[in-house]
Amino acid sequence: MALYRLGTRSGASLWMLGVAALLFVGARQQSHAQDGMARPEKVAPPHPGLNGHPTAGREVFRFETFGNEGFWTGAMRLPQGIMKAKVTPIDALKLGLVVDIDAVPADLRGALAAELKTDLSPAHAPLLNDPAMTMKLIAANAIPGFVPKGDKVGVSCALCHTTTDASVFSLPGGGTIGHRQDGRSNLNLNFGKILAAAENPLAFYPFLQTASGGATIGRAPHGLTPQSSEADARAYLSNPAFYPVGMFDDTPDGNGNPVVTTPLFRQDLAAPFGSAGEQAGLEGFSNGVYTVAFDPTSLATPNGRKFLTAVGGKAGTQLSDDYAMVLRKTHVTGYPFSQATGGYKVGDPATLVGRRVDEQKLADLRSYLESLPAPPGARVDTAMAARGRRVFADSCKSCHNANQSKPVSSTLVEMNRIWPGYHPTVLARRMPPLDPIQNAPGTFDDKMVVVDASPGGGHRGNAIPMLLDLADKPMFLHDGSVRTLGDLLNPRRGPTAPHPFYVAGAGQRADVVEYLRGLDANSDSGR
């Protein structure tokens, strides 16, 4: 729901004030109807209880698309755009994509390895500068996350959550070539620019920063509308100030709110799921990815429209209708593309648009993600880390574990605690248990303006992250607003900044940073 920046009154806000509750009631009263046929809706439990198999889950994580190749090839037209733009393997690495050397055809490995030792110019590295080679690598499943399906290409979880060990090559600030490492966040991935490479980037409309009545929420000064061109969408997606590297906008609310890509290893230690804690179970989180994020066209269906209306009132209805207009304008038909079973409760966190993909595969994926090992902690100065551990234990343990082999607390940290400067303006009130739609200045709450944990009975707040793999992170907090651990703990940020939990002395702060850099899942003190 594209609403407005704080202090800007708009038609969108007037629509939502006072009508969201009525529309939500209407959506609830119609909850037993789907496509005009009365039938009871099924409710998927957040923890279905099926036994998963990690080996099968690895295949789901790496290669399962549930039919989304129909969206990425037929609606976004991403492979067509990649070919039209003549994206070379060097270009792909600049986008942050990685190459699994074990999947590269054997007859190409030697030639590519030799070219990687050159200056990478077309004269000395012809294969790495050949757009046809990019498509060959995709066809060989050598670019994790791009999944070939006959004459189409879909995407899998591995696109954002797989890196490599860089044993063959590493492009500074970009992608790597080596043995794949599933579950790790690819924080060099320029997902916005990858979307911009598609022939029809407007097909991702509900996850872009949109505008209604000239009003918008997000990093860009102006939002997109159904009248926007593909060039307008590319300009937004290609600008790292609007869509930062290492982030993904995972909320279908028409607001521009990319968040830092979180790791998916050791998910047995994590809960709830989503930076706003909107999902109690990993299966529900994954189902939302497959049925909505990887195929947004579900939001232009009757049940998708019902879902957006329930969470956003008239602005939600408008977003669905605008998206349907965009799909018509860009000649997208035959949606939704994801293969899922219908008849589930619309708006339930586990089945946002009333659809559910294969239950056993969701359980297998959960099992695999729970089994993935966390990276080892960095090698640190043991004396500094020991001192830092004592400071951490005295100052931080009310929220965070010292022992990272234990699950994090599933309690959300309320917004006024994690951000004392949080003074939002209420844009619309919703029927309980939903919290009001509200917005404050800055980017920290943009993810939670509309989407939060309240549909599941929770409250607006932040999930507590695992303190693992911190040594190499280029940004902190879910909006990426803090660049280093030292900055995060520095009182210069002020008492009303997000996460204002500081270590005053520079020496003690350095000790705590050293301690945090060394943390791993095997002990409370790292390596």
Side-chain angles (χ1 to χ4, degrees), residues 44-67:
H47 307 283
L50 289 178
N51 290 325
H53 306 283
T55 302
R58 181 182 63 195
E59 298 303 297
V60 175
F61 175 86
R62 294 181 176 183
F63 306 121
E64 183 58 74
T65 65
F66 292 106

Side-chain angles (χ1 to χ4, degrees), residues 62-122:
R62 294 181 176 183
F63 306 121
E64 183 58 74
T65 65
F66 292 106
N68 70 45
E69 60 271 14
F71 173 76
W72 291 96
T73 303
M76 285 289 287
R77 299 159 200 151
L78 180 58
Q80 300 94 311
I82 289 174
M83 290 187 286
K84 186 176 180 179
K86 298 182 179 179
V87 175
T88 69
I90 293 294
D91 295 329
L93 289 168
K94 290 178 179 178
L95 290 171
L97 292 165
V98 302
V99 177
D100 176 6
I101 192 62
D102 299 308
V104 174
D107 60 329
L108 289 175
R109 289 180 200 166
L112 291 177
E115 289 190 5
L116 288 167
K117 296 177 181 178
T118 71
D119 62 1
L120 304 183
S121 66

Side-chain angles (χ1 to χ4, degrees), residues 6-7 72 75 84 111 160 259 266 289 292 305 387 431 524:
L6 186 70
W72 291 96
K84 186 176 180 179
C160 296
V259 293
R266 289 303 306 267
V289 171
V292 181
R305 190 174 191 266
R387 293 194 301 267
M431 284 289 291
D524 67 348

